[in-house]
Amino acid sequence: MSDINESEETIGAEDPQNPAAKDPSDWVTGDEPMTAPQQSYLDTLAREAGEELPADLTKAQASEHIERLQQKSGRGAS
């Protein structure tokens, strides 16, 4: 049983109204260069997977690779 009142906002649940839940290809800033945290995490995931990726990925591309590599490695499993 949850202690959270239905009227309270939560994080961690699927929420189609949450802008962060958008498909990366729909992001307004998706064509900007990936962020430093994305690059760092993607570097770790790619090394663990034995993959090499280009260093000039966009935010959207980096997000898609992160999601794919998390699934491959089991890191993204909840």
Side-chain angles (χ1 to χ4, degrees):
M1 181 172 211
S2 174
D3 293 333
I4 297 176
N5 183 329
E6 286 184 31
S7 65
E8 291 181 33
E9 289 187 34
T10 63
I11 59 172
E14 300 254 344
D15 181 1
Q17 301 301 328
N18 180 351
K22 281 185 181 178
D23 184 301
S25 63
D26 294 334
W27 293 353
V28 173
T29 61
D31 60 347
E32 293 179 2
M34 72 177 134
T35 65
Q38 280 180 309
Q39 185 173 8
S40 176
Y41 187 45
L42 190 53
D43 181 53
T44 299
L45 290 172
R47 275 188 282 115
E48 287 178 356
E51 292 188 22
E52 288 188 29
L53 299 169
D56 62 348
L57 297 172
T58 66
K59 287 180 182 179
Q61 291 169 328
S63 179
E64 290 168 353
H65 281 293
I66 288 169
E67 198 170 309
R68 177 182 62 80
L69 290 170
Q70 281 179 328
Q71 290 175 355
K72 183 177 180 179
S73 70
R75 275 185 178 245
S78 34

